[in-house]
């Protein structure tokens, strides 16, 4: 049974539809990211799960029980927001155990839990510090410990790392992921950072500017088999080539016949399609070597960042970007003629 089910969820604020027709099942014990561009409704969706907003339509089920109208404080969920919302006049221990005090847990037990949680988030010995005397990363850890103090059924995080600098942010991503794996707590993280979502989650829920869920899957599924052009473009870098489906298993792009391993259902010969190909799947050969699944052009730019080499091939009406390791670097220079070969199994055909 899924831990959390969102069924036909819609949320309107007056005329604004913040979340449209969401149907997802989240399995127990996983790390899930709600990912999408600004305004796509991911925070609203998290707030609906938390009980901080009521859906306009639809149901929310937790372990099979309908919690759509259960107030937030009775859901037993731990939450961390971007603002952290720590109490500045209280010590670290008082912040962490605040919710336990509200629940009338006695002082000794509260201190014991605070010690345990500070160990968990790697801040031992900071119990009596005031929150104002902590660094950004330490405050982050206190907020996480505070959310975990009630042993929540779900752990909900809304862009908690976005205020941190890049290095600390990466460290905290890893720490948070390891903590979640240790506790096996079902976690939802809202982020607009696709790298963060792809590196941290078991499952990614990709939302689009139309405030709908476009795809839900493992990071690898979403990367390799994007469901539509929005996902292909939003996640990583994709070559998006416009063509026409010519017959089963083939697409024509700018007079080049492109064999593809799969044409999804619902696409017929004559339909306009977009073919998505990841740069690292493309092979670049020196010179003009026309043929099926090949595009000839001129190298317009080479970006060598040490760990990878990107080659930009100007093919007239469109551009193809390829990426290779320094070892597999094609023998071409800027201004040279070259050919890009797109393997059939790397071509993902999407409806246009
Ligand atoms: P961001 O990454 O910028 O935080 P988001 O994907 O989390 O964006 P939401 O904050 O969920 O998006 O907002 C979705 C849409 O709903 C936006 O158009 C937003 O302006 C609108 N919205 C959100 N909350 C309210 C509210 N309380 N009243 C009116 N409109 C709202």
């Amino acid at each position: 049974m899924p831990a959390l089910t969102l069924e036909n969820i819609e949320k309107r604020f007056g005329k604004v539809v913040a979340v449209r027709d969401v149907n997802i099942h989240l399995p127990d014990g996983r790390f899930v990211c709600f990912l999408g561009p600004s305004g796509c409704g991911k925070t609203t969706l998290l707030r609906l799960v938390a009980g901080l907003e009521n859906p306009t339509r639809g149901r929310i089920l937790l372990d099979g029980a309908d919690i759509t109208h259960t107030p937030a404080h009775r859901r037993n969920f731990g939450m961390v927001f971007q603002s952290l919302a720590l109490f500045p006049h209280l010590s670290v221990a008082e912040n962490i155990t605040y919710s336990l005090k509200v629940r009338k847990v006695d002082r000794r037990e509260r201190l014991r839990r605070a010690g345990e949680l500070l160990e968990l988030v790697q801040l031992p010995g900071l119990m009596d510090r005031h929150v104002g005397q902590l660094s950004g990363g330490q405050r982050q850890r206190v907020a996480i410990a505070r959310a975990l103090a009630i042993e929540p059924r779900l752990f909900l995080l809304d862009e908690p790392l976005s205020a941190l600098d890049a290095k600390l942010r990466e460290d905290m991503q890893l720490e948070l992921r390891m903590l979640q794996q240790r506790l096996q707590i079902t976690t939802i993280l809202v982020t607009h950072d696709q790298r963060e979502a792809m590196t941290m989650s078991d499952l990614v829920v990709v939302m689009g500017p139309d405030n709908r869920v476009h795809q839900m899957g493992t990071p690898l599924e979403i990367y390799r088999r994007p469901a539509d052009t929005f996902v292909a473009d939003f996640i990583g870098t994709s070559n998006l080539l416009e063509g026409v489906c010519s017959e089963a298993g083939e697409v024509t792009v700018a007079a080049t016949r492109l064999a593809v391993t799969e044409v999804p259902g619902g696409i017929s010969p004559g339909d306009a399609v977009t073919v998505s190909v990841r740069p690292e799947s493309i092979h670049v050969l020196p010179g003009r070597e026309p043929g099926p699944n090949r595009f000839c052009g001129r190298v317009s730019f080479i970006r060598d960042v040490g760990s990878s080499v990107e080659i930009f091939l100007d093919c007239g009406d469109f551009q193809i970007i390829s990426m290779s390791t320094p070892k597999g670097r094609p023998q071409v220079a800027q201004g040279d003629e070259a050919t890009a070969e797109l393997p059939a199994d790397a071509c993902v055909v999407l409806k246009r």
Side-chain angles (χ1 to χ4, degrees):
M1 187 195 292
L4 187 75
T5 297
L6 304 180
E7 216 176 76
N8 303 321
I9 289 291
E10 181 174 295
K11 177 65 184 175
R12 288 173 184 265
F13 295 103
K15 285 198 175 123
V16 177
V17 185
V19 170
R20 215 183 278 270
D21 199 25
V22 170
N23 284 286
I24 50 178
H25 301 287
L26 305 184
D28 208 8
R30 305 294 165 86
F31 198 115
V32 181
C33 275
F34 290 171
L35 172 68
S38 182
C40 72
K42 50 198 187 298
T43 292
T44 303
L45 194 58
L46 191 81
R47 289 175 60 81
L48 288 163
V49 172
L52 299 171
E53 301 284 357
N54 285 315
T56 310
R57 195 160 66 84
R59 292 200 309 160
I60 302 174
L61 307 177
L62 181 70
D63 303 322
D66 190 333
I67 59 157
T68 316
H69 302 292
T70 307
H73 66 274
R74 291 195 32 221
R75 293 191 185 192
N76 198 43
F77 297 168
M79 278 175 268
V80 181
F81 299 100
Q82 187 180 345
S83 64
L84 302 187
L86 295 171
F87 304 117
H89 55 288
L90 297 184
S91 70
V92 166
E94 287 166 334
N95 262 284
I96 292 178
T97 58
Y98 185 80
S99 54
L100 300 179
K101 193 173 177 184
V102 172
R103 283 162 203 230
K104 310 248 183 294
V105 175
D106 74 48
R107 194 180 133 74
R108 261 188 54 193
E109 174 58 14
R110 290 203 311 265
L111 282 177
R112 194 193 65 74
R113 277 294 284 154
E116 205 175 81
L117 287 158
L118 284 173
E119 287 285 338
L120 193 70
V121 296
Q122 300 179 37
L123 285 182
L126 286 190
M127 284 244 232
D128 300 322
R129 278 264 187 104
H130 266 243
V131 165
Q133 299 168 312
L134 300 176
S135 71
Q138 288 171 331
R139 273 203 291 273
Q140 209 74 45
R141 293 193 183 104
V142 172
I144 290 167
R146 184 179 63 172
L148 294 173
I150 54 164
E151 296 183 19
R153 177 68 187 86
L154 291 187
F155 188 29
L156 308 177
L157 304 131
D158 190 359
E159 307 237 17
L161 309 179
S162 57
L164 303 178
D165 67 55
K167 178 77 180 76
L168 182 57
R169 185 175 172 146
E170 276 188 24
D171 292 347
M172 286 297 297
Q173 285 170 353
L174 191 64
E175 233 175 76
L176 194 54
R177 176 60 166 147
M178 286 182 350
L179 182 68
Q180 184 273 337
Q181 283 184 336
R182 193 138 37 102
L183 300 177
Q184 288 289 304
I185 180 170
T186 311
T187 300
I188 304 175
L189 174 86
V190 161
T191 182
H192 62 270
D193 178 345
Q194 49 113 354
R195 202 179 128 82
E196 181 163 290
M198 300 300 270
T199 53
M200 290 182 82
S201 348
D202 295 306
L203 288 169
V204 183
V205 176
V206 188
M207 298 180 72
D210 55 357
N211 298 65
R212 291 179 193 275
V213 171
H214 282 236
Q215 189 170 8
M216 172 167 150
T218 65
L220 213 56
E221 278 164 3
I222 282 174
Y223 187 78
R224 295 226 177 117
R225 296 280 144 194
D228 57 28
T229 49
F230 168 74
V231 178
D233 203 26
F234 189 68
I235 309 285
T237 306
S238 239
N239 291 282
L240 296 174
L241 307 172
E242 297 195 343
V244 176
C245 186
S246 37
E247 52 190 83
E250 214 173 83
V251 173
T252 306
V253 174
T256 290
R257 281 165 44 203
L258 208 55
V260 295
T261 40
E262 193 188 341
V263 175
I267 296 178
S268 320
D271 283 353
V273 294
T274 298
V275 180
S276 164
V277 192
R278 296 295 184 188
E280 64 276 16
S281 309
I282 295 177
H283 309 300
V284 172
L285 319 166
R288 284 185 70 81
E289 302 280 351
N293 285 53
R294 288 181 175 190
F295 296 93
C296 302
R298 203 168 279 283
V299 177
S300 58
F301 192 64
I302 298 179
R303 183 157 59 193
D304 188 344
V305 293
S307 55
S308 64
V309 184
E310 282 173 308
I311 293 177
F312 294 70
L313 195 64
D314 180 1
C315 300
D317 289 342
F318 57 95
Q319 172 180 264
I320 289 180
I321 306 174
S322 78
M323 190 165 77
S324 64
T325 59
K327 236 177 164 179
R329 182 187 181 128
Q331 295 306 305
V332 293
Q334 193 167 334
D336 284 358
E337 278 198 313
T339 302
E341 188 173 58
L342 282 51
D345 63 355
C347 296
V348 180
V349 180
L350 304 166
K351 210 169 189 163
R352 190 135 47 97

